[in-house]
Structures are given as C-alpha cells and as structure tokens.
Amino acid sequence: MRILVIEDDKEVAAYLLKGLKESGYVTDVCDNGSDGLQMALDESYELLIVDRMLPGLDGLSIVRKLRDAGQTIPVLILSALGEVDDRVQGLKAGGDDYLVKPFSFSELLARVEALARRAQQESSQVTQLKVADLEMDLLARTVHRAGQKIDLQPREFRLLEYFMRNPDQVLTRTMLLEKVWDYHFDPQTNVIDVHISRLRSKIDKEFDLPLLQTIRGAGYVLRENP
C-alpha cells in the first residue's frame, strides 16, 4: 500500500514516516496543503493521512476538493481539535476517520489497516472493468477489446487488472512490483519490461488506438487519450 502523509510538523511527519515504513507501507510526506493536494491528485495513493491545520490549504479543504474531483481514496484526518463538533466536521468534509493528537502509533496503524481492509472489500465487489473499448470480466476472468477475445496468462491478467483499476494514473515500477508481483524490493531484472511488452502486444498491437503507454522516467499508464 502506498500512503501519502500531509503533515507540517516535522517531528510528527518523521515519526509517521519511520513507523509506516517499518510496517511495510510505501510512504511519502508533504509539509503543506497545496502541494499535498496536487500530489494526491497526480499520483496513485491508496490512503491519505492528513493533518487538519496546514499551511497553504487546510486539511478539510483538501478532503473536500478530493471528493469534489471524484476521488474516493480513504482519508484519515489528524488533528489536535478533538471535540465532538470538530470530529463531525472532519467526517462531513469527506474524511473516513478522525484521530486526535496526541495519538499512539499502534492506534494509528490499526486505523490505517481498517481503512485498507474496507477499501479492499469495496474494490473487490467490482466485477466489470472498462477502459475505452477494453473490457475485463473479473468473475469470468475474460478480457475483450472491441468485442475480440484476448487470451492472457495469469500474471498478465493481474497486471492488466491493476492498470484497469487505476486508469489515467502513472504506475511506477515500485508500485507494479508490490501490487502485481508482491515484491517489496527491486529484483534488478527486466521482469516488468517483459510483461509490459507482452501485454501491449496483446491489447494494443492489432488496434488503432494504443492504450498502454510508457511515461519516460516515471512508469506506465493505461488511458484512452494518447
């Protein structure tokens, strides 16, 4: 899981970064609201931990803007404001959970795990994925493009599923290794390049519009617009 922490208190940010990384989460940190919102919109994160009081843009405004943009990413709000009305404001703004400072890391980690489980359950309920004329049936384990059946090996199917669950988002090598191969390290092989090449030959080669695109120096993206 890839987490973005938006926190301007350097000690708290360092504490969270260390603990989350030791718990196996890929974690980025941003110290202001404006840049944090942009990172959340531009990158592919699976959970946000957002401080309520931030320079540039406060935490509740970040959550509102994300929801207005159609983003359903789980958000855990951190705040020294712990009254009932404060927590209600956070949840009404679109937050999924609200944790009052000071907090224990074990409680924060339990809440992160609970949000991750909830998001996974909601995601697993989807049975049909579609990008342009590319369609995937998760129950039948079939893929079609423009009505034409495409045969994929199990790893290719898993790779394509990850792309189709995250359309228009640049997916890095690290993200692909973690989500498709369950590697939490870089094996220093060309395994990703080989599978991307095979997948591209199956879903793009015989069609006019290429969907699987390489973003030089960043990763890969599945999208309709070139």
Side-chain angles (χ1 to χ4, degrees), residues 60-176:
L60 298 192
S61 296
I62 291 175
V63 179
R64 290 191 189 100
K65 289 180 180 294
L66 286 170
R67 300 309 182 224
D68 289 343
Q71 293 275 358
T72 59
I73 180 173
V75 178
L76 171 59
I77 298 173
L78 301 180
S79 178
L81 304 175
E83 298 298 325
V84 172
D85 287 346
D86 298 318
R87 297 198 297 271
V88 169
Q89 287 176 7
L91 297 174
K92 283 189 172 181
D96 297 275
D97 201 352
Y98 194 103
L99 184 60
V100 179
K101 296 178 178 180
F103 55 85
S104 70
F105 183 77
S106 60
E107 181 180 5
L108 178 136
L109 186 60
R111 291 175 182 243
V112 165
E113 291 170 347
L115 289 174
R117 286 195 300 272
R118 186 193 309 170
Q120 187 174 21
Q121 289 169 356
E122 292 174 353
S123 177
S124 64
Q125 292 173 1
V126 176
T127 60
Q128 301 278 342
L129 299 174
K130 190 175 190 301
V131 176
D133 58 352
L134 181 65
E135 300 176 273
M136 173 178 282
D137 187 319
L138 296 172
L139 295 180
R141 306 293 290 180
T142 58
V143 175
H144 291 81
R145 182 162 186 194
Q148 178 179 325
K149 186 177 180 181
I150 297 173
D151 293 319
L152 298 178
Q153 295 298 316
R155 186 76 68 178
E156 295 167 350
F157 188 94
R158 188 174 176 185
L159 180 61
L160 181 59
E161 178 184 350
Y162 186 45
F163 275 111
M164 295 187 73
R165 286 186 182 274
N166 299 276
D168 301 314
Q169 297 186 44
V170 177
L171 304 182
T172 66
R173 290 179 60 88
T174 298
M175 294 161 66
L176 294 174

